[in-house]
Amino acid sequence: MDSVCTAKTRGVGGLKRLQVGVSAVVWASVLVVLALLLLLSEDAGTARHGKGVQAATRLEPLDPHAAIDQVRSHAHALHQSFLRPEFSFEPPFPFRGYFVIDNWSYGGAAVVTESFVRITPDRQRKSGWLWSKQSCTMLDWEAMFEFRVSGSGTSTYGDGMAFWFTTTPKQKGNVYGARDQWLGLSIIIDTYDNNGNGDGPRLLAIWNNGDIKYDHNRDGQGQEIGSCQLSPSAMRNVDGFTTVMVTMLNGKLRVKYAYAQKDHWVECFSDAHVEPVERQSYYFGFTAATGDIADNHDVRSFAVYDLKAMAHAEGTDATDHDHGDFELKARRAINRRQGRNDDEVTVW
């Protein structure tokens, strides 16, 4: 009996020693993992409180050519949660026997490359188009697109290009490759001074209910709801793309732009009245055209953001706020989602 009890006691003691040994190994492993996590968090903290914060709070590009890329990527990060990918595109574009853009169709003189879309080449009497395949019923949205104009002409060039939010897509016509008397919005980048006023190139917006026939001879003057003059030396034959931001909110339109080699936005106009129709199907698009004179007209990227979703994330109604107040609240909601403080991101 004693020998049996002694054997049991030794067995229990060995089991306890084994458990203690295993526990020691586990705790040692845990300590090693915690130490590694601590080192990683310190590195992340250094980046966050060092150069990371500087990048988020102010633009300090290493060279002027990188400035607009920093502006664009910063805004893209702010909005990412509310991006509508079915309307958006950016390079590189996939190759499926030829380069394509998902959810978009193109035609005429337009050609898709790996890194941009050339809507027209620098050749006379060409026109091209790029249209979203899916319709859009959003009435409160913000869009950003990058465009480039280049060519061999030195004193005269043209004709220009246009961005569209319209119910009448894919209809060829004489308004920079699209139909006249359209229904909806056109943001026109007119690079040829038809009226001889010396105010080109020019960015202008026209909201058309189908009754307005575009006045080519006067470059749409008197038909626009907002416009501004662009610098030819800053937006044509330069290294990089000019970025345009279009905001439609509560029946008001605002347009800003940033040249490829600049690190700040310039307001073209704001609070222009538009009349989008609820439950109507609109399409986004780009067109361009050349005449007796010509240019390359390129688009690199396009991104659309849902402002109504931003308002819901903030717990407010977009109709209760003007542009500035609503935008501030929406961007603060995005900041909180990304773990940022309200003062870490510039509101443009």
Side-chain angles (χ1 to χ4, degrees):
M1 181 68 69
D2 291 339
S3 62
V4 174
C5 291
T6 301
K8 289 183 178 179
T9 302
R10 289 176 178 174
V12 173
L15 180 59
K16 289 182 177 179
R17 286 193 297 273
L18 178 61
Q19 291 174 337
V20 171
V22 172
S23 298
V25 171
V26 171
W27 279 110
S29 301
V30 170
L31 290 174
V32 170
V33 172
L34 288 174
L36 290 173
L37 290 175
L38 181 60
L39 288 173
L40 290 174
S41 65
E42 288 178 352
D43 291 341
T46 300
R48 190 164 53 248
H49 296 292
K51 295 182 179 179
V53 168
Q54 291 179 0
T57 55
R58 58 180 179 274
L59 300 175
E60 296 181 351
L62 296 177
D63 62 82
H65 299 284
I68 189 58
D69 290 335
Q70 190 173 353
V71 171
R72 180 179 173 277
S73 63
H74 178 56
H76 185 70
L78 279 175
H79 290 69
Q80 192 60 34
S81 300
F82 308 103
L83 177 73
R84 294 295 296 268
E86 69 270 33
F87 306 123
S88 306
F89 61 80
E90 65 178 349
F93 301 117
F95 184 80
R96 299 173 187 145
Y98 51 91
F99 289 105
V100 298
I101 300 179
D102 292 331
N103 300 316
W104 287 72
S105 59
Y106 63 95
V111 175
V112 177
T113 72
E114 184 179 15
S115 56
F116 63 90
V117 184
R118 175 146 291 170
I119 304 179
T120 66
D122 185 9
R123 296 292 183 270
Q124 293 178 327
R125 290 175 288 280
K126 298 290 183 180
S127 65
W129 51 265
L130 177 67
W131 289 101
S132 63
K133 292 181 180 179
Q134 297 189 41
S135 62
C136 173
T137 57
M138 289 188 302
L139 302 185
D140 297 308
W141 50 265
E142 186 167 84
M144 295 175 64
F145 65 88
E146 293 177 294
F147 78 91
R148 177 176 62 189
V149 178
S150 61
S152 57
T154 55
S155 58
T156 57
Y157 41 85
D159 284 337
M161 59 188 298
F163 161 71
W164 302 89
F165 179 68
T166 177
T167 62
T168 53
K170 300 181 183 179
Q171 298 184 31
K172 187 176 180 179
N174 64 349
V175 182
Y176 304 94
R179 63 162 280 181
D180 205 342
Q181 295 178 281
W182 64 94
L183 298 171
L185 172 69
S186 179
I187 304 289
I188 296 170
I189 300 166
D190 181 11
T191 57
Y192 183 71
D193 187 6
N194 284 287
N195 59 17
N197 287 346
D199 58 352
R202 185 164 167 257
L203 186 155
L204 65 150
I206 297 177
W207 183 269
N208 200 336
N209 59 9
D211 296 332
I212 297 176
K213 190 174 181 63
Y214 183 70
D215 189 345
H216 285 275
N217 293 330
R218 302 185 70 234
D219 295 325
Q221 194 170 42
Q223 300 175 320
E224 73 273 32
I225 58 175
S227 67
C228 58
Q229 187 173 3
L230 300 175
S231 167
S233 62
M235 55 84 68
R236 185 176 181 272
N237 283 339
V238 296
D239 183 15
F241 291 75
T242 297
T243 302
V244 176
M245 178 189 294
V246 183
T247 306
M248 183 182 290
L249 177 64
N250 299 341
K252 297 292 183 64
L253 187 73
R254 181 185 66 190
V255 174
K256 296 181 179 182
Y257 63 90
Y259 294 123
Q261 299 181 23
K262 302 293 183 181
D263 60 356
H264 63 275
W265 294 101
V266 177
E267 184 170 280
C268 182
F269 61 86
S270 63
D271 293 326
H273 180 66
V274 293
E275 298 177 346
V277 180
E278 290 188 8
R279 294 180 294 278
Q280 184 67 269
S281 294
Y282 290 88
Y283 293 82
F284 293 106
F286 296 90
T287 63
T290 64
D292 292 334
I293 53 177
D295 254 338
N296 299 308
H297 297 98
D298 303 333
V299 175
R300 180 181 182 272
S301 68
F302 179 60
V304 181
Y305 306 96
D306 187 345
L307 295 184
K308 186 71 73 175
M310 288 186 186
H312 290 163
E314 180 63 15
T316 62
D317 185 350
T319 60
D320 293 336
H321 303 285
D322 60 19
H323 272 80
D325 184 46
F326 168 74
E327 184 180 15
L328 179 61
K329 289 179 178 293
R331 293 181 192 276
R332 282 177 175 171
I334 302 171
N335 293 350
R336 285 196 290 274
R337 280 190 170 205
Q338 298 179 346
R340 291 173 171 171
N341 296 324
D342 290 342
D343 59 353
E344 282 185 319
V345 180
T346 302
V347 177
W348 294 311

